[in-house]
Amino acid sequence: MDLADTIVLVTVTGPDRPGVTSVLLTAMSKHHVSLLDVEQVVIRGHLTLGVLVTCPGDPESLQDQVEEAMSTVGMHVDVDVDARIGRQPMSTHAVVVLGSPVTAHAFSAVSRQLAVLGANIDTIRGIADYPVTGMELMVTATDTGADTDSRLRTALAEVAVTEQIDVAVERAGLARRSKRLIVFDVDSTLIQGEVIEMLAAHAGVEEQVREVTEAAMRGEMDFAESLRQRVATLAGLDESVIEEVADRIELTPGARTTIRTLRRIGFRCGVVSGGFRQVIEPLAHELELDFVKANTLEIVDGKLTGRVVGEIVDRAFKATALRAFAAEAGVPMEQTVAVGDGANDIDMLNAAGLGVAFNAKPALREVADAALSHPYLDAVLFILGVTRDEVEAADARDGGVRRVPIVG
């Protein structure tokens, strides 16, 4: 760039239509400008196009030429002469805001809190309009100390509770886009409800088992002991009950979409469950999961004995299983994601590169990197930077999976 050159920012706005960029750059080329930066955004058919250039000649002549050219396609033009040329710094964090709906008041509260924390919003883009509204903010934090992530998450978590939205914070850059393995808890995460309670209903002890389950999920009882107590109530059940329960399992809304999409982009997908292998394995086969770890019910002469065999999949085992899956897949731990809902998932979420609490108990929400409170598992995709449009475009290419309204 010659020292005599003038930096000019040309901003064009108006209805999006073919040829706008071509008309603009053709007009600018007559002044022998050099491009420094170009950004374009289209929102519901309205175009905003910004072009930063060096102009070796008269900038006023450039402005006249551009305005005349753009009037032929019905576009408005703003020209800023001597625009600052400083390179836009790379954003330090991605902040995903999800809600049903996201109100202007809620979004204002998020942006205000970011300002208080000294974080500047660089870009905003819509990433979902179904089943929740999602927006991704790329922000730059002026303070990049070791506790920056924690401070951002804590402050925005308070806003999320007050405004009844979900807010997830991640470091921007390659680390965010390099996730390659995901592990889900099963009961009340990948599927609706608790399998052991469904089994207990056949034994007439559902309420008793539910109380123990809830205490364990809140972290009030050792999981291994709670499992033994609950399984003991199933003694004598015919093994055919397992198949009946497996047939009645209902996936969490968005579960198929989530796994289908993640597999498309190269993720290895698995489950680690405090539930039971005999129930989960058919589902894992159907979903084409890569890894499965769960407890095994002991069956003798066609009856449940009320015991489990082998090592119990408890809180510590879940984290160990995640590490083993990652090692087997050749994926570093910082590139892993774990999703769960109870205290039994704390170690697994802490071990993962990104831990997501899904409609979780307070004990898990407090340690998770991101917390989701809406009952749609595909919101996990939005946290990972996958947009609803990308999901639907891929589904359309691969057979036309249609958007189905969720009722109830």
Side-chain angles (χ1 to χ4, degrees):
M1 182 181 70
D2 192 290
L3 293 177
D5 290 351
T6 305
I7 307 302
V8 179
L9 173 62
V10 177
T11 305
V12 174
T13 58
D16 186 32
R17 62 187 64 180
V20 171
T21 303
S22 174
V23 171
L24 174 62
L25 294 181
T26 297
M28 298 179 80
S29 67
K30 297 175 182 178
H31 293 263
H32 306 290
V33 302
S34 297
L35 295 178
L36 297 175
D37 197 4
V38 179
E39 287 196 25
Q40 176 175 305
V41 176
V42 178
I43 302 178
R44 299 293 191 244
H46 187 85
L47 168 72
T48 299
L49 170 63
V51 182
L52 187 70
V53 301
T54 60
C55 178
D58 179 10
E60 290 187 7
S61 176
L62 171 65
Q63 179 173 353
D64 292 341
Q65 186 83 43
V66 167
E67 289 178 346
E68 180 180 347
M70 299 317 295
S71 67
T72 65
V73 287
M75 306 297 285
H76 174 76
V77 180
D78 286 317
V79 178
D80 179 11
V81 179
D82 290 329
R84 288 177 296 173
I85 191 173
R87 177 181 290 274
Q88 177 72 25
M90 189 184 80
S91 301
T92 60
H93 293 81
V95 177
V96 176
V97 180
L98 303 171
S100 183
V102 177
T103 66
H105 188 277
F107 198 81
S108 172
V110 170
S111 58
R112 185 166 55 250
Q113 186 61 67
L114 286 170
V116 168
L117 294 168
N120 183 65
I121 300 175
D122 303 323
T123 62
I124 303 172
R125 67 166 180 158
I127 55 174
D129 62 355
Y130 168 90
V132 294
T133 299
M135 283 171 280
E136 180 187 77
L137 289 67
M138 301 306 297
V139 307
T140 300
T142 53
D143 177 6
T144 56
D147 65 340
T148 302
D149 296 11
S150 177
R151 290 193 305 106
L152 283 171
R153 288 193 181 106
T154 300
L156 292 176
E158 294 174 359
V159 174
V161 171
T162 302
E163 300 296 333
Q164 297 184 316
I165 56 175
D166 293 332
V167 181
V169 179
E170 275 195 89
R171 282 277 175 174
L174 290 178
R176 184 181 184 223
R177 299 199 299 273
S178 65
K179 302 293 189 297
R180 286 294 175 266
L181 181 147
I182 189 166
V183 168
F184 297 91
D185 174 45
V186 175
D187 293 359
S188 298
T189 301
L190 189 66
I191 69 171
Q192 300 179 63
E194 300 284 326
V195 166
I196 196 166
E197 293 176 10
M198 297 169 70
L199 292 169
H202 286 269
V205 293
E206 185 177 10
E207 188 58 36
Q208 176 185 340
V209 166
R210 181 181 292 114
E211 290 176 2
V212 178
T213 298
E214 291 178 351
M217 294 294 284
R218 292 191 298 266
E220 298 171 1
M221 180 183 296
D222 173 73
F223 179 83
E225 178 57 32
S226 75
L227 181 68
R228 294 188 186 97
Q229 287 185 25
R230 289 175 289 169
V231 172
T233 68
L234 306 179
L237 276 181
D238 192 278
E239 67 175 330
S240 63
V241 170
I242 294 176
E243 186 174 349
E244 291 180 34
V245 167
D247 289 342
R248 289 171 45 214
I249 284 177
E250 293 185 26
L251 287 166
T252 298
R256 291 185 190 279
T257 298
T258 302
I259 291 174
R260 180 174 66 245
T261 302
L262 291 176
R263 288 180 59 81
R264 278 179 178 144
I265 60 178
F267 266 73
R268 304 292 296 277
C269 303
V271 292
V272 182
S273 174
F276 307 111
R277 178 184 58 78
Q278 292 98 324
V279 177
I280 293 169
E281 282 189 343
L283 178 64
H285 179 74
E286 178 187 346
L287 295 175
E288 301 182 55
L289 299 181
D290 300 293
F291 312 101
V292 179
K293 282 291 182 183
N295 294 300
T296 301
L297 291 165
E298 184 180 59
I299 300 172
V300 176
D301 297 329
K303 302 287 185 181
L304 276 66
T305 66
R307 295 185 295 270
V308 293
V309 294
E311 189 172 2
I312 289 178
V313 179
D314 59 8
R315 173 172 162 174
F317 187 97
K318 283 192 169 189
T320 299
L322 171 61
R323 293 188 180 95
F325 291 162
E328 180 181 336
V331 175
M333 286 300 294
E334 59 268 22
Q335 294 180 4
T336 66
V337 182
V339 186
D341 73 307
N344 197 37
D345 299 308
I346 288 176
D347 291 2
M348 181 172 73
L349 265 65
N350 277 333
L354 174 67
V356 180
F358 181 73
N359 291 298
K361 306 299 184 293
L364 187 63
R365 293 179 69 94
E366 289 173 5
V367 303
D369 299 310
L372 298 173
S373 59
H374 294 86
Y376 311 112
L377 199 60
D378 40 352
V380 171
L381 297 174
F382 309 144
I383 290 178
L384 293 172
V386 178
T387 71
R388 171 57 62 185
D389 286 346
E390 289 170 335
V391 172
E392 293 188 349
D395 283 342
R397 285 195 302 270
D398 294 347
V401 178
R402 294 187 302 165
R403 176 182 294 194
V404 178
I406 296 172
V407 179

